[in-house]
Amino acid sequence: MARKKIVLIGGGQIGGIQALLCAQKQLGDVVVLDIPDAEGMVKGKTLDIAESTAIGGYDCNLSGTSNYADIAGADVVIVTAGLPRKPGMTRDDLLDVNVKIITNVAQNVKKYAPGAFCVIVTNPLDSMVYAFRKVTGFPKNMVCGMAGILDTSRFRSFIAMELNVSVVDVAATVMGGHGPTMVPLPRLCTVGGIPLIELMSQEKIDAISKRTREAGTEIVKLLGNGSAFFSPAASSIVMAESFLLDKKRVLACAAYLEGEYGINGYYLGVPIVIGAGGVEKIVEVKLTDDEKALLNVSLDAVKVAVKDVDSRI
Ligand code: TXD
């Protein structure tokens, strides 16, 4: 059976790490596409990774390009094309410039890779994944956004650090938009099957939830130039892997809702099942009234950005 084809549109900070992870996991052959001015960068990054494959024993062909014809036949397309935040910026501050980039990318993916499972990473995430699907017209099960896996990973990592336990044994989920209104769900978090609320004070839980909501901004401030890239890269490859290997992972991702959670016509972070059929199922969690209220606050924030996007595409 021929190897799968993974296309990474945007070969910057996140795209480069994504390419390395795809090679190391031997998920398939990798094509990294960027703008003509950055073609040398993506050719250099992919060649550099290719030269490392002998060390790790990874059989994977990698190439860089600025020619969309090279993405034809992609099984998976992951989109990080767009500007990242600078200190002091909100994710929504990126909307103006990134909606134009996502529109251009979507038009080309529609033309050259219409059957691909598409994972959108570009911020502001919830409105960019909405824009991508609107421009491509792809079925909703083949377009989703990466955010909840990252936010959940941050939440899990902070809990593991605080309790001095393995991250492996911390199960959790974060729902809602990818921004300050995201909804960590401590009630659903377990550590080795034990409810978190039996192991940690409410004060500590609240502090970790707050840090999770602000984790992206914390890294933007520390880096001073750009935003997180290791964890977003790892998070998006989990989604590609679940699709390519039909793993049926249950993952928090931005999925298009048509009635689930009482929400209709928006992308929002919810638990989904990703398999060979793309977004195979949206898992409806029974939320408390307080949790529902927080989810609706998050949805309201997403609606503002989507209204702005709708007026431009
Ligand atoms: O959880 C999440 N979804 C977020 C997403 C987590 C962290 C970062 N998040 C967002 O991903 C971030 O706010 C940005 O919007 C994207 C990409 O972040 P990255 O750190 O990779 O940005 P870079 O290093 O600037 O890379 C972006 C690349 C760069 O090489 C540009 O030349 C390229 O995108 N680019 C394009 N590629 C193809 N086509 C077009 N039109 C284009 N425009 C820019």
Side-chain angles (χ1 to χ4, degrees):
M1 184 175 76
R3 281 196 208 127
K4 299 295 185 183
K5 181 171 181 176
I6 301 145
V7 167
L8 307 175
I9 299 184
Q13 293 279 77
I14 298 175
I17 304 289
Q18 288 171 332
L20 177 65
L21 290 171
C22 287
Q24 290 178 334
K25 289 173 173 281
Q26 299 189 87
L27 294 178
D29 290 341
V30 177
V31 174
V32 184
L33 180 140
D34 211 300
I35 55 176
D37 284 356
E39 184 171 53
M41 176 183 73
V42 292
K43 284 188 181 300
K45 284 187 178 183
T46 48
L47 180 58
D48 188 10
I49 295 170
E51 291 168 7
S52 78
T53 55
I55 297 163
Y58 322 126
D59 290 309
C60 165
N61 296 317
L62 297 107
S63 60
T65 184
S66 64
N67 179 354
Y68 268 103
D70 293 333
I71 77 166
D75 295 288
V76 173
V77 169
I78 306 179
V79 182
T80 60
L83 300 190
R85 284 191 282 168
K86 291 183 170 54
M89 286 176 79
T90 68
R91 293 177 178 91
D92 286 343
D93 289 336
L94 298 170
L95 190 145
D96 269 347
V97 63
N98 283 350
V99 69
K100 295 187 189 80
I101 293 172
I102 287 294
T103 300
N104 168 265
V105 169
Q107 288 163 343
N108 281 290
V109 172
K110 181 178 182 178
K111 182 177 175 186
Y112 291 101
F117 176 58
C118 301
V119 175
I120 311 307
V121 177
T122 307
N123 270 327
L125 187 270
D126 305 281
S127 53
M128 291 303 102
V129 59
Y130 172 92
F132 184 92
R133 181 170 177 249
K134 184 174 179 183
V135 172
T136 58
F138 287 175
K140 64 180 181 179
N141 63 303
M142 297 301 275
V143 180
C144 54
M146 187 297 286
I149 297 171
L150 170 60
D151 299 327
T152 300
S153 177
R154 287 166 165 167
F155 188 53
R156 292 172 60 201
S157 301
F158 296 147
I159 289 165
M161 290 174 205
E162 178 63 28
L163 294 177
N164 193 25
V165 297
S166 167
V167 287
V168 169
D169 298 316
V170 181
T173 193
V174 175
M175 293 175 62
H178 182 51
T181 63
M182 68 177 77
V183 186
L185 291 167
R187 177 179 63 89
L188 301 182
C189 176
T190 59
V191 182
I194 303 155
L196 175 68
I197 48 185
E198 293 181 19
L199 300 169
M200 192 184 282
S201 69
Q202 191 57 48
E203 185 191 7
K204 274 284 179 201
I205 291 173
D206 292 346
I208 285 176
S209 297
K210 181 173 185 295
R211 190 179 180 192
T212 300
R213 285 191 292 270
E214 297 168 356
T217 302
E218 180 182 2
I219 290 189
V220 167
K221 276 185 194 154
L222 286 168
L223 293 176
N225 177 21
S227 46
F229 50 98
F230 292 109
S231 48
S235 302
S236 48
I237 297 308
V238 164
M239 297 167 74
E241 184 178 42
S242 195
F243 171 77
L244 291 168
L245 303 185
D246 192 24
K247 288 176 78 75
K248 314 278 189 210
R249 293 289 307 269
V250 181
L251 301 162
C253 302
Y256 193 68
L257 302 178
E258 288 188 310
E260 301 87 348
Y261 294 93
I263 296 168
N264 198 26
Y266 292 95
Y267 272 88
L268 200 65
V270 294
I272 65 173
V273 175
I274 298 182
V279 180
E280 295 185 349
K281 182 177 167 55
I282 290 174
V283 182
E284 287 209 73
V285 182
K286 284 188 181 45
L287 299 174
T288 65
D289 290 346
D290 288 349
E291 292 162 347
K292 270 188 206 136
L294 289 170
L295 192 65
N296 284 323
V297 167
S298 199
L299 174 65
D300 289 344
V302 169
K303 282 181 177 176
V304 171
V306 165
K307 190 164 184 287
D308 200 348
V309 161
D310 262 337
S311 66
R312 300 157 190 258
I313 54 176

